[in-house]
Amino acid sequence: MKYTDSRPSIFILYTGGTIGMVENPHTGALENFGLDRFVKLFPELHRQPYHIDYAALDHPIDSSDMEPSGWVKIAKEIVRRYDMYDGFVVLHGTDTMAYTASALSFMLENLGKPVILTGSQLPIGKLRTDGKENLLTSVEIAAARNEEGASMVPEVCIYFDSRLMRGNRTTKVNAEGFNAFRSYNYPSLAKAGISIRYEPRLIRRPDPDRPFTPHLSLDDRVMLLTLFPGIRREYVEAALLQDGLRAVVIKTYGSGNAPQKPWLRPLLAELHRRGVVVVNNTQCSQGAVEMGRYETGLQLLQAGVVNGYDSTIESSLTKLMLLLGHGFSQQEVAAQMNCSIAGEITL
Ligand code: ASP
């Protein structure tokens, strides 16, 4: 049921991360503190022209401890309140925020409301915190409506340091500066300055003929392998020839190239025979995989490797988990990897 209050209603879910941390006086390390203390440190939150409710996950965490089960918990919190609120803000640690945003973008199919992830590089209790601006602007974006009265940004996004980015296009790029995230292969959906400038033509809209459909099963039997000059056969075999492995993302060079080592093609053929989906993602932050461009890439195409296009690693891995969680066959997963299902690749 929706609130009768005429103000936009926003639900904030606190999952942990620096924004809600404080220094442990004994160890000097940052640790999570409770939601009540968070709200006390940030009274401005209640001076907004919105109806705001908030809750925390049972155990707020440093996002390095985030797991697929955590994405399911977050998705469930949103799904059960979906009809009650106009928009959602998820407070999350920055370290794995891009993974969570990517996973949620696939789990919340045909989303019609904003789900904005944000956090900060400095805790909310610090004078120079970036958390207040990040959170207040995220709330404003989650509440924004277009001329037709629909949500301005009905997507899973990350808002950070004045930019609103499609969640499944983001990567954490800075461990120090406030500009922690970038979306190299897709432009920002909005920029916040004195006013928030949206780019409506870049924003995905739900299909009005289909319902919002959450997906809560994920299969984590996936692996990531980064190529480098000198990579040894026995280590690659130990990592990939594992019973149960269902998909692997290989981080290749440049436009999707790999060394022409005599053992690599037979290994890829063996993985294919075992039903493993092998996806080619580039190590470059910008640009796309094009396997036919060089012989070193063509050999992968010929071995049945699937194109990762201009996807981020975060997006490829979480999309595979979702597709495998659906029980799709190797061919079906490969076919879906060649489609954009939440704006994650440019075709
Ligand atoms: N380690 C923290 C986390 O990801 C870093 C942050 O929030 O910025 O939870």
Side-chain angles (χ1 to χ4, degrees):
M1 203 191 58
K2 183 132 180 25
Y3 287 102
T4 44
D5 190 337
S6 61
R7 297 174 299 169
S9 53
I10 304 298
F11 180 75
I12 300 176
L13 179 67
Y14 172 68
T15 70
T18 299
I19 193 163
M21 288 184 179
V22 69
E23 224 167 75
N24 177 321
H26 305 294
T27 64
L30 289 171
E31 290 173 357
N32 278 295
F33 56 74
L35 182 64
D36 295 345
R37 188 153 167 208
F38 179 93
V39 176
K40 265 194 207 123
L41 280 168
F42 195 16
E44 296 90 338
L45 196 55
H46 286 292
R47 295 192 205 121
Q48 305 309 308
Y50 312 115
H51 174 107
I52 297 180
D53 288 328
Y54 39 81
L57 288 186
D58 285 348
H59 303 285
I61 53 170
D62 183 303
S63 79
S64 302
D65 288 323
M66 187 50 78
E67 290 284 328
S69 56
W71 304 333
V72 173
K73 274 190 204 149
I74 296 171
K76 281 185 175 165
E77 296 291 341
I78 294 170
V79 170
R80 68 192 180 90
R81 297 178 175 90
Y82 189 75
D83 293 330
M84 294 161 62
Y85 294 90
D86 295 308
F88 300 84
V89 173
V90 178
L91 294 173
H92 195 288
T94 58
D95 288 347
T96 63
M97 192 189 291
Y99 289 90
T100 300
S102 300
L104 290 175
S105 78
F106 301 124
M107 296 166 81
L108 305 175
E109 188 188 336
N110 210 34
L111 183 68
K113 298 183 178 188
V115 174
I116 315 295
L117 282 84
T118 195
S120 67
Q121 294 282 62
L122 277 177
I124 202 90
K126 294 266 183 198
L127 220 45
R128 289 179 53 246
T129 185
D130 49 332
K132 292 191 180 182
E133 195 281 324
N134 283 347
L135 175 50
L136 288 177
T137 308
S138 295
V139 168
E140 191 171 334
I141 292 170
R145 314 220 129 231
N146 63 16
E147 280 155 15
E148 284 89 51
S151 293
M152 185 66 109
V153 195
E155 288 207 37
V156 177
C157 299
I158 287 184
Y159 175 77
F160 221 93
D161 190 38
S162 311
R163 283 169 201 253
L164 181 71
M165 294 158 277
R166 175 170 298 157
N168 58 34
R169 293 289 194 152
T170 56
T171 302
K172 183 172 180 184
V173 296
N174 199 329
E176 168 83 22
F178 288 150
N179 55 339
F181 292 92
R182 279 291 173 268
S183 160
Y184 286 113
N185 286 327
Y186 199 77
S188 298
L189 305 182
K191 289 203 183 91
I194 290 176
S195 55
I196 302 175
R197 288 180 190 277
Y198 294 94
E199 298 289 347
R201 69 195 164 82
L202 298 174
I203 297 171
R204 274 171 69 85
R205 304 219 64 87
D207 177 347
D209 299 326
R210 289 193 304 118
F212 164 58
T213 311
H215 302 282
L216 301 173
S217 318
L218 299 165
D219 186 337
D220 60 3
R221 287 176 295 168
V222 303
M223 184 56 191
L224 174 65
L225 179 80
T226 304
L227 296 181
F228 58 90
I231 192 166
R232 293 181 69 114
R233 174 185 188 164
E234 59 272 33
Y235 301 155
V236 175
E237 285 182 353
L240 300 186
L241 295 180
Q242 294 290 338
D243 287 342
L245 180 69
R246 304 224 33 222
V248 55
V249 175
I250 303 190
K251 281 179 82 174
T252 56
Y253 305 129
S255 57
N257 307 313
Q260 299 175 78
K261 293 183 185 277
W263 51 266
L264 187 59
R265 260 195 77 165
L267 173 75
L268 294 173
E270 172 60 14
L271 289 171
H272 197 261
R273 195 192 61 73
R274 292 177 177 212
V276 178
V277 181
V278 183
V279 179
N280 184 348
N281 268 160
T282 173
Q283 296 179 19
C284 299
S285 315
Q286 208 164 348
V289 164
E290 213 184 304
M291 283 191 277
R293 177 127 48 118
Y294 297 92
E295 249 190 322
T296 45
L298 191 63
Q299 57 164 350
L300 301 181
L301 189 64
Q302 288 163 345
V305 172
V306 176
N307 195 334
Y309 301 94
D310 60 349
S311 172
T312 62
I313 298 299
E314 294 87 335
S315 168
S316 280
L317 284 171
T318 54
K319 182 174 174 183
L320 284 166
M321 289 189 199
L322 179 106
L323 296 173
L324 295 168
H326 270 65
F328 285 155
S329 68
Q330 185 185 27
Q331 287 75 15
E332 287 167 331
V333 172
Q336 288 294 320
M337 292 306 286
N338 281 304
C339 302
S340 165
I341 59 177
E344 72 282 6
I345 49 176
T346 314
L347 293 172

